[in-house]
Amino acid sequence: MSKLSDQASEGKALPFSFLNQTLWLHPTGALYWEEARTLMVADVHVGKVTHFRKHGIALPPKATGYDLLRLEAVITFFSPDRLVFLGDLFHSDLNAEWEAFTAFQASRPDTVFVLIRGNHDVLPDHLYAQSGLEVLPHLIEGPFLLTHHPVPSSTPYNMAGHIHPAVHLRGLGRQRLKRPCFLFGQEGAILPAFGHFTGNHVVQPTEADRIFVLAERTVIEV
């Protein structure tokens, strides 16, 4: 894994040994599970930009497709065998961004795409089937249970999304900065929202939690 080591040394991804597995935390909010050659992302919310525009909320023209470009870059780097979406892949009703996603998926025939269904994943099942996307309520593999909503006191250890976790960082002069984060707690882990145009929910970590903050080009444990 020399390429991953090189990237970590450049401050672009952070290796994290957890439950005898090697996880790579990426500043986009993606998590790469090395042993399973699996990339995980949560809460991409493809289609949200078009959904907002339809309801009169102005967003810049370049916003459409932005997260797919970010996802493409992460897949190109890690070269996973499988990409697992931890729910909320597409934001509610069908719109033109679904066609962009299916074209993106088709461009990666060597990658298995899996969706753990979330509360926003309400498209008709035949659309998922036509795209070749495998849709599951959850997935148990190795030491992990993959879900969309966090599962308290889970065995195996739960990996989830849904919350869009963030923390407030405090600096000199009472400066405060809100940044999305990975949260690894005793009961489970919550991935940050991958979607760039999603909101964040400030969490209150306990002393036992481990928090990894997304910076511009790196991931930092705080």
Side-chain angles (χ1 to χ4, degrees), residues 123-134:
L123 295 181
D125 288 342
H126 75 270
L127 292 177
Y128 298 129
Q130 288 172 1
S131 74
L133 187 67
E134 182 179 2

Side-chain angles (χ1 to χ4, degrees), residues 39 41 44 46 68 71 75 81-91 97-98 101-106 108-109 111-118 120-137:
L39 186 67
V41 296
V44 183
V46 175
L68 291 182
L71 193 57
I75 293 175
D81 292 339
R82 177 176 57 178
L83 172 58
V84 177
F85 298 98
L86 298 182
D88 288 1
L89 165 60
F90 197 82
H91 189 82
E97 290 186 60
W98 176 252
F101 171 76
T102 56
F104 165 79
Q105 183 181 350
R108 288 286 179 174
T111 304
V112 176
F113 286 72
V114 178
L115 170 62
I116 308 299
R117 193 188 293 267
H120 278 279
D121 297 311
V122 296
L123 295 181
D125 288 342
H126 75 270
L127 292 177
Y128 298 129
Q130 288 172 1
S131 74
L133 187 67
E134 182 179 2
V135 182
L136 302 171

